[in-house]
Amino acid sequence: MTAPRASLDLLYSDTEEELRSAVRALLADHCAPATVLARAESGRPHDPALWRTLASGIGAAGLLVPEKLGGAGASHREAAVVLEELGRAVAPVPYLTGCVLATEILLGCDTPEAADLLRGLAAGRQVCVPALPLTQAPGAPLPQPLRDTGGGALTGTVTSVADATAADVLLVLADTGLYAVPAAGARLTPAVPLDLTRPLTTVTLDGTTPGTPLADPATARAAVAGALLSGAGLLASEQLGLAEWCLTETVAHVRGRHQFNRPVGSFQALKHRLARLWLDVASARAAARAAADALATSSPDAPLTVAVAQAYCSGVAVRAAEECVQLHGGIGMTWEHPAHLYLKRAKADSLALGTTGHHLGLVADFAELPAPA
């Protein structure tokens, strides 16, 4: 007889709420919308001081790293809470790429070299970023690996790598396995991203800087596949935080904005739009929490739960940001107001780690639904 499956836990624990309070307080002090916009305009959006405090001061960088390697030994649930708050602030930090994707890849390698990198990552001493396109989706074929010309000297190009400019080490998938390559040994060509807070880069390796081998080809591809699944599941929490900020700020605006001697929020049409958005955000919270809990408990349904979360939360984040811009009226269209930062992050996130259409296809496959004729 098959053992009954444990029910999903969608509630936040006291520990998770304490972590949320610490991260939110930090971001309130160091990641105000005006500060984020100013850094984005400078072309150097990453804030090293904010990252050091978040990574080592609060210990958020090592949440997914086991205690024996210097991490917190926490779970995807705690990492999801951090990503909710980072999404709420559109914080320009390499958390999703460095502390989720790279960490999961290194954990999947299970070698001494990977363990050393995890220790440095957990302590906040270095940032590791996977040299993969941000649009790479779980369940999709992996990109063509770079070529190893001998001794870990890798050659090739990877486009649309997120946060490579903030990385100390790049995790590169090659035809002979996975390698750790110093970011200083790669040529980084900035791309023009829609989301200025998460810069994209074309990474080119010419074989002059040998990489450190971390895993054989089969292990490397399995580790990358697992990391993409976790990344997609936790990206839903970032999208949730973004949508919650947009809803909260929009409600506050329509309460205070008056026309015809009454708050515009009292108009029935706006009430209906905001009520629908509230329902969407509440549903997105359930989907994102389900994905985080399924990943934390290694549920056999995790791939399906993650696909559902991504397919739903992606659209909710975009709708919330669009409503935020529109219902703020003229001020929502200005560069000075942060609404455009949230809209651009939401649009960029809708392509990251798989589009809505891709994840809907996965849902159909997992549920064994026939494709349309």
Side-chain angles (χ1 to χ4, degrees):
M1 181 177 178
T2 304
R5 294 177 181 174
S7 59
L8 289 170
D9 181 4
L10 305 185
L11 301 179
Y12 297 98
S13 67
D14 292 341
T15 300
E16 291 164 1
E17 290 293 358
E18 291 172 4
L19 176 61
R20 180 195 306 281
S21 297
V23 175
R24 185 175 295 189
L26 171 66
L27 296 175
D29 290 339
H30 300 284
C31 201
T35 303
V36 174
L37 184 56
R39 295 195 68 88
E41 288 178 317
S42 72
R44 301 176 65 86
H46 292 121
D47 186 344
L50 171 62
W51 175 249
R52 284 193 297 272
T53 306
L54 177 69
S56 56
I58 293 179
L63 287 177
L64 297 179
V65 179
E67 291 184 73
K68 65 181 181 180
L69 297 178
S75 74
H76 299 81
R77 291 174 57 93
E78 288 78 13
V81 169
V82 174
L83 279 164
E84 282 184 37
E85 294 307 311
L86 296 179
R88 187 188 296 273
V90 287
V93 293
Y95 192 84
L96 178 67
T97 50
C99 300
V100 177
L101 291 173
T103 297
E104 292 279 14
I105 291 174
L106 292 171
L107 288 172
C109 293
D110 194 23
T111 59
E113 294 80 7
D116 288 341
L117 288 173
L118 283 168
R119 292 187 183 92
L121 190 153
R125 294 193 302 267
Q126 60 186 2
V127 177
C128 298
V129 168
L132 293 169
L134 183 60
T135 54
Q136 180 64 43
L142 293 176
Q144 186 70 23
L146 274 65
R147 190 165 63 92
D148 181 4
T149 59
L154 310 181
T155 61
T157 298
V158 185
T159 60
S160 301
V161 178
D163 297 326
T165 53
D168 301 300
V169 177
L170 298 172
L171 304 181
V172 183
L173 188 63
D175 53 4
T176 54
L178 185 74
Y179 291 82
V181 179
R187 186 168 75 249
L188 306 180
T189 306
V192 180
L194 173 62
D195 176 14
L196 297 177
T197 64
R198 182 172 279 156
L200 301 178
T201 306
T202 297
V203 175
T204 303
L205 297 175
D206 57 10
T208 57
T209 304
T212 301
L214 300 175
D216 61 78
T219 302
R221 298 180 80 83
V224 169
L228 292 172
L229 178 66
S230 295
L234 295 186
L235 177 61
S237 292
E238 178 182 293
Q239 293 165 327
L240 168 62
L242 186 156
E244 287 183 331
W245 183 93
C246 291
L247 174 62
T248 300
E249 291 299 311
T250 303
V251 169
H253 176 76
V254 299
R255 280 179 170 175
R257 174 75 173 174
H258 285 69
Q259 287 184 356
F260 309 110
N261 203 32
R262 57 186 291 192
V264 297
S266 65
F267 300 151
Q268 190 175 35
L270 297 191
K271 286 182 178 180
H272 288 174
R273 289 172 67 171
L274 290 171
R276 170 61 188 275
L277 184 57
W278 184 89
L279 289 173
D280 288 344
V281 172
S283 299
R285 183 181 302 110
R289 291 301 294 168
D293 189 70
L295 291 168
T297 57
S298 300
S299 168
D301 290 332
L304 172 60
T305 309
V306 167
V308 169
Q310 260 307 297
Y312 189 76
C313 294
S314 180
V316 170
V318 172
R319 287 196 298 276
E322 289 174 342
E323 291 286 60
C324 182
V325 171
Q326 292 178 13
L327 297 185
H328 271 79
I331 193 174
M333 301 296 293
T334 63
W335 186 260
E336 291 75 18
H337 195 278
H340 68 92
L341 293 175
Y342 288 83
L343 178 59
K344 292 169 183 173
R345 173 64 72 87
K347 288 285 190 179
D349 279 358
S350 70
L351 302 177
L353 299 172
T355 63
T356 298
H358 173 80
H359 288 285
L360 286 174
L362 291 179
V363 171
D365 291 341
F366 292 139
E368 298 181 352
L369 297 175

